[in-house]
Structures are given as structure tokens and as C-alpha cells.
Amino acid sequence: MTRTGLRVIKAAKAEGLGVLATAIYSADEAFLAALNGADYLAPYVNRMCNYGDGVGQVVDLIRMLAAQGMDTKVMAASFKNVEQVHELIAAGIQAVTVQLPVVHAMIDHPGTEIAVAEFTENWGNAYGRTTLLA
């Protein structure tokens, strides 16, 4: 997302191409990319946090696009933790790209493991086995 990038977005759209604007570090530059025709915006959330409130900037962007009735979608990237992903999903983000360790952290809740162990024990006590298949 640069000054040249804004011109390229317009030119690509004029040729009928779909455009993903990437390397976004602020809501303002993302919004300008949307105004120039970008279909998707890819803010780098955790990298943005190095300069301030990255999650807050992306929440602002989602609100800015909605306030203007724009169809541009936000596909955030560069997440460090589950909390960043959670906050943006709660704010209405359309898409995220998340590294596998963060996805695993979203799935692997310790309470779930405890519940599965309890259910397995109860099943074993009731049916004499720990699997459904004999």
C-alpha cells in the first residue's frame, strides 16, 4: 500500500482485475485503497501493533467501510495471538489468515480436553469400552 500502489489499484480495476491491497499498516491507507477500488484489504495486525493499536485500527477500518456503505472486504493477516483474532471476528471482519499455532491455540482449550476425558471415562463405565466402534 503505497502512493504508486493506489495508481496500480485503479489501473488494475480498469482492466477488470480483482485487487487485494496488502502491506497495510493503518486504517487510513486501507480506506484510501478501498476508495481506489481494492476488493480486499490485508492489514498486518500484529505488525501494526508495533506502531500503536493494530487491532483498534482494523476495527476502525471495518467501521469506516460500513459507514460509507463500501463493499470492500477486510482480510487481516499477521496475528500473534488468539485475542487479536477474536477481537476482529467480534468486530465483524470478513476474513482472516492465521498461522497454524494460533489456530491450534483457538481450538486447544484446556477445558475441552478435561470434558473429553470425562466423557470418555463415562462412556467406558457405561459401555465397557472407550470407542463407539467395537
Side-chain angles (χ1 to χ4, degrees):
M1 188 39 229
T2 62
R3 293 177 188 185
T4 301
L6 291 174
R7 291 193 304 271
V8 171
I9 291 168
K10 276 189 175 185
K13 291 306 292 182
E15 292 198 24
L17 299 173
V19 176
L20 165 67
T22 191
I24 293 172
Y25 282 76
S26 77
D28 296 330
E29 65 183 7
F31 188 75
L32 292 172
L35 285 175
N36 279 272
D39 301 293
Y40 282 88
L41 306 169
Y44 290 175
V45 178
N46 195 60
R47 293 181 186 189
M48 291 167 72
C49 288
N50 293 328
Y51 300 96
D53 182 5
V55 172
Q57 284 280 310
V58 179
V59 170
D60 285 349
L61 172 60
I62 293 166
R63 290 179 183 152
M64 292 162 73
L65 295 170
Q68 297 302 318
M70 300 178 80
D71 292 330
T72 305
K73 307 267 189 286
V74 181
M75 183 186 74
S78 178
F79 290 99
K80 180 180 179 181
N81 57 53
V82 171
E83 291 77 20
Q84 291 173 332
V85 179
H86 177 91
E87 286 185 48
L88 293 181
I89 291 171
I93 199 160
Q94 294 88 3
V96 292
T97 176
V98 183
Q99 291 183 336
L100 197 52
V102 175
V103 172
H104 286 167
M106 294 172 78
I107 297 168
D108 297 337
H109 191 283
T112 302
E113 290 183 32
I114 292 168
V116 169
E118 290 171 351
F119 294 152
T120 301
E121 181 182 347
N122 291 339
W123 179 273
N125 291 337
Y127 298 101
R129 56 193 163 129
T130 58
T131 64
L132 180 60
L133 304 173

